[in-house]
Amino acid sequence: MEGADEFMKYRSPLVSRYASKEMAYNFSDRKKFTTWRKLWIYLAKAEKALGLPITDAQIQEMESHEANIDFAMAAEEERKLRHDVMAHVHTFAHCCPTAAPIIHLGATSCYVGDNTDLIMLRDGFDILLPKLARVIDRLANFAEKYADLPTLGFTHYQPAQLTTVGKRACLWLQDLTMDMRNLQRARDDLRFRGVKGTTGTQASFLQLFQGDHEKVEELDRMVTEMAGFKKAYLVTGQTYSRKVDIDCLSSLASLGATVHKICTDIRLLANLKEIEEPFEKEQIGSSAMPYKRNPMRAERCCSLARHLVALMADPLQTAAVQWLERTLDDSANRRISLPESFLTADIILSTLQNITEGLVVYPKVIERHIRHELPFMATENIIMAMVKAGGNRQDCHEKIRVLSQEAAAVVKQEGGDNDLLKRVQKDPYFAPILGQLDAILDPKTFIGRAPQQVTRFLSEEVRPLLEPYKAKMDVKIELEL
């Protein structure tokens, strides 16, 4: 059967199962090798402009065959030559016989290899940044909607002082805004390797231009500009410093940690039935338990986020072992770690956008949980009200302590509801404040400045960050599950 052989070999699920078309294309062979050809054209154009004997006809020939890649011929050439760049030089030269003598003139393999990697990194960030902006936007809308809905806070995953659903979302948002700035900085810090020669000294180009240093510098500047970069690294070995890869992948690994935390929180809240991720009408949560609604999207994010964080070890170790001007033990590793980091980040952000566009909140469940815990949290307020009504703090504290322990025994040992409030109402000692109990136990009096914090945080720190991405905000995610 035609195409059946693809099921006879391993396919990366990052591409076959999850990744967006644009990110999969960004690290494709088609993008890689057409970029190599573009770089050879940029080099020829700049060398011609600076006086080398290269003709318009040669450049036009190269341009007309930029996308016309014979991949079978390139593979056969690589089998013979054991060199991927020279295989593609030969393949390009085959369809550009007039330009053949000047293709790759003065360059080393890293001219196309490293410069293409830098273009892919830049373009990868350009795909990720709007996706991250959309996640932040959806979550900001959620935070705004639930800014003043009281909910139990948790420390040590034990019930703690109340917060609001919107304020908790702002904790997630704050981490994501830090990631946004990190990704933007890593993207903007990228420079081009440019035209540097075999060990970074530009010796071959100095020879081509007969010792004219200014022309060599101008060549570097022109090619860098044609590739869409504002600056090139002033010094390189044969490769650009592999610390650049650390910088890029660390921003993605940090994003992975953020997403893992957010999605773990969502999974914990799903267990409490307070918040759930979107669930399709016909979606099956469990093959054995029909009632289940598993947080599978959040679980996918956590699963992939661990991989994204783990990939960070690769560029750290690679940069550490680059001997002198370079060794080739970076190559195989980078073929895996660079694309996989961007593909994984891409999948995580698409999935998280889908989650944040459809988060379901159950206020009645949240209210019930508050009701179970609030009487214990309100004890200090009850004591204060009694003191205002003329009571003695120590006496009141002892009364509340005894009643609290009795109520706790009902909850923990008998599995009953928290009846502290009823015990307070029955005790004549508390008669002076019975009329105030409803006000004392209003959850909104326990949330402090959470709603005001949400409003200020969204207006001052979140919305301004999204301004550059306004035109790309309306893209919806149709998630393949």
Side-chain angles (χ1 to χ4, degrees), residues 184-253:
Q184 190 68 61
R185 180 200 50 75
R187 187 249 183 255
D188 292 345
D189 280 356
L190 281 172
R191 296 190 188 186
F192 208 48
R193 180 190 173 274
V195 182
K196 296 295 194 296
T198 51
T199 56
T201 64
Q202 298 174 303
S204 57
F205 297 104
L206 193 62
Q207 193 175 348
L208 278 174
F209 288 103
Q210 299 176 338
D212 191 329
H213 290 268
E214 283 186 15
K215 282 192 174 179
V216 175
E217 289 219 358
E218 184 62 9
L219 178 73
D220 202 359
R221 191 199 63 74
M222 287 174 72
V223 171
T224 296
E225 188 178 295
M226 280 189 259
F229 284 79
K230 291 177 182 171
K231 286 184 177 179
Y233 297 107
L234 292 179
V235 293
T236 71
Q238 190 169 88
T239 67
Y240 68 79
S241 168
R242 295 311 184 214
K243 279 184 74 67
V244 174
D245 297 342
I246 294 175
D247 207 25
C248 293
L249 268 58
S250 67
S251 70
L252 301 184

Side-chain angles (χ1 to χ4, degrees), residues 263 266-267 270-271 277 279 293-300:
C263 290
I266 290 170
R267 292 163 66 190
N271 172 258
E277 65 180 39
F279 200 86
R293 290 182 59 156
N294 300 331
M296 61 176 292
R297 293 167 172 85
E299 288 173 314
R300 176 188 292 179

Side-chain angles (χ1 to χ4, degrees), residues 296-344:
M296 61 176 292
R297 293 167 172 85
E299 288 173 314
R300 176 188 292 179
C301 283
C302 288
S303 186
L304 290 167
R306 284 200 301 277
H307 182 54
L308 185 53
V309 170
L311 282 167
M312 185 65 236
D314 276 336
L316 285 167
Q317 294 185 60
T318 295
V321 299
Q322 285 300 286
W323 302 349
L324 306 174
E325 276 62 53
R326 76 94 41 108
T327 57
L328 197 60
D329 61 346
D330 61 341
S331 177
N333 186 288
R334 294 173 69 253
R335 285 176 194 267
I336 299 165
S337 60
L338 298 186
E340 285 204 359
S341 291
F342 278 84
L343 287 162
T344 306

Side-chain angles (χ1 to χ4, degrees), residues 108-155:
T108 187
S109 298
C110 286
Y111 167 68
V112 287
D114 269 29
N115 281 325
T116 295
D117 286 343
L118 289 161
I119 288 168
M120 286 176 165
L121 292 175
R122 178 197 65 194
D123 294 353
F125 280 123
D126 287 344
I127 294 168
L128 292 179
L129 282 161
K131 293 192 176 196
L132 179 53
R134 289 197 293 270
V135 169
I136 291 171
D137 174 70
R138 301 333 185 234
L139 207 46
N141 295 339
F142 177 85
E144 193 168 39
K145 183 175 179 181
Y146 295 104
D148 58 357
L149 180 63
T151 189
L152 277 179
F154 286 91
T155 57

